[in-house]
Amino acid sequence: MEKIKQRWDIVKNWQLLFPFLGAALVAVTAYSIARRLLHLFELNNTLFEWIFTLVVAALGYFIMLRFFLWCFKKLENKWKVSYRWEMIAIFIVFAITGSASAKLAGPLTDLLGLQKDAISGWIYWPVRILLIFPIYQVLLVFFGWLFGQFKFFWNFEKKMLKHMGLGFLFP
């Protein structure tokens, strides 16, 4: 436990939540991908179902964990945070925000009267993707606040909007 605390600059026990939550979310993602591949290759309800799932999930977990640790090293100097565990919180916020904004765009397009079956995909998908953008901006700051990283995400938001030519929104 002390090794984990030293590696991630953890000074209080509640901060251990982030490395464990990050590892758990990577495991769930690896398992979900393995199950989708299982159905794609039509191996469900066979003798190899659980063997395939466990092997692919373990391999996916290892690959994703290595990738995220590599990302931490690359972004460590670019993102100014006080403690290394905050990097995990930031990655979790990005993951949750992206997934949530994509999920919320579907019901919002339905609310606007744009059902997937009723109109052309050439209209539906661009509108849905355009709706994801403002939802993402709001949720990014909200989830950043929820995970104790409001200042980072507020500055990130302002910088991103300035780069997009929308800096006038934040004088």
Side-chain angles (χ1 to χ4, degrees):
M1 193 63 70
E2 287 302 316
K3 197 173 183 181
I4 293 172
K5 285 183 173 184
Q6 286 177 342
R7 179 182 173 100
W8 295 106
D9 297 331
I10 293 174
V11 292
K12 296 181 180 171
N13 285 337
W14 68 267
Q15 296 165 345
L16 283 168
L17 169 75
F18 294 106
F20 290 121
L21 182 60
L25 290 173
V26 171
V28 168
T29 303
Y31 176 76
S32 299
I33 291 170
R35 293 301 292 180
R36 286 192 183 255
L37 288 174
L38 179 81
H39 293 292
L40 181 70
F41 295 130
E42 297 179 2
L43 292 172
N44 47 325
N45 299 325
T46 66
L47 178 64
F48 302 108
E49 179 176 4
W50 287 106
I51 295 169
F52 178 86
T53 302
L54 291 174
V55 168
V56 171
L59 185 64
Y61 180 81
F62 177 76
I63 291 169
M64 284 189 283
L65 197 60
R66 285 290 187 210
F67 173 72
F68 292 133
L69 290 173
W70 176 78
C71 288
F72 288 153
K73 280 186 180 178
K74 292 292 181 185
L75 294 170
E76 195 170 31
N77 296 326
K78 186 174 178 144
W79 291 350
K80 303 298 181 211
V81 292
S82 302
Y83 304 101
R84 292 190 73 210
W85 63 264
E86 291 178 304
M87 294 285 287
I88 299 171
I90 290 168
F91 269 62
I92 292 170
V93 168
F94 277 123
I96 292 172
T97 302
S99 300
S101 61
K103 285 284 188 190
L104 289 174
L108 192 55
T109 53
D110 290 344
L111 188 68
L112 294 172
L114 301 172
Q115 281 77 25
K116 189 176 179 179
D117 300 332
I119 62 170
S120 168
W122 291 99
I123 296 171
Y124 177 80
W125 287 108
V127 168
R128 184 169 171 167
I129 290 168
L130 286 173
L131 283 173
I132 289 174
F133 180 71
I135 295 170
Y136 184 83
Q137 306 312 313
V138 172
L139 289 180
L140 190 63
V141 175
F142 172 72
F143 285 121
W145 169 76
L146 201 61
F147 279 80
Q149 299 300 315
F150 177 80
K151 184 178 177 185
F152 174 85
F153 283 104
W154 184 246
N155 291 332
F156 184 87
E157 188 71 34
K158 290 189 290 187
K159 185 177 177 183
M160 183 171 52
L161 290 173
K162 284 179 185 173
H163 284 297
M164 297 174 79
L166 300 172
F168 62 89
L169 295 172
F170 300 102

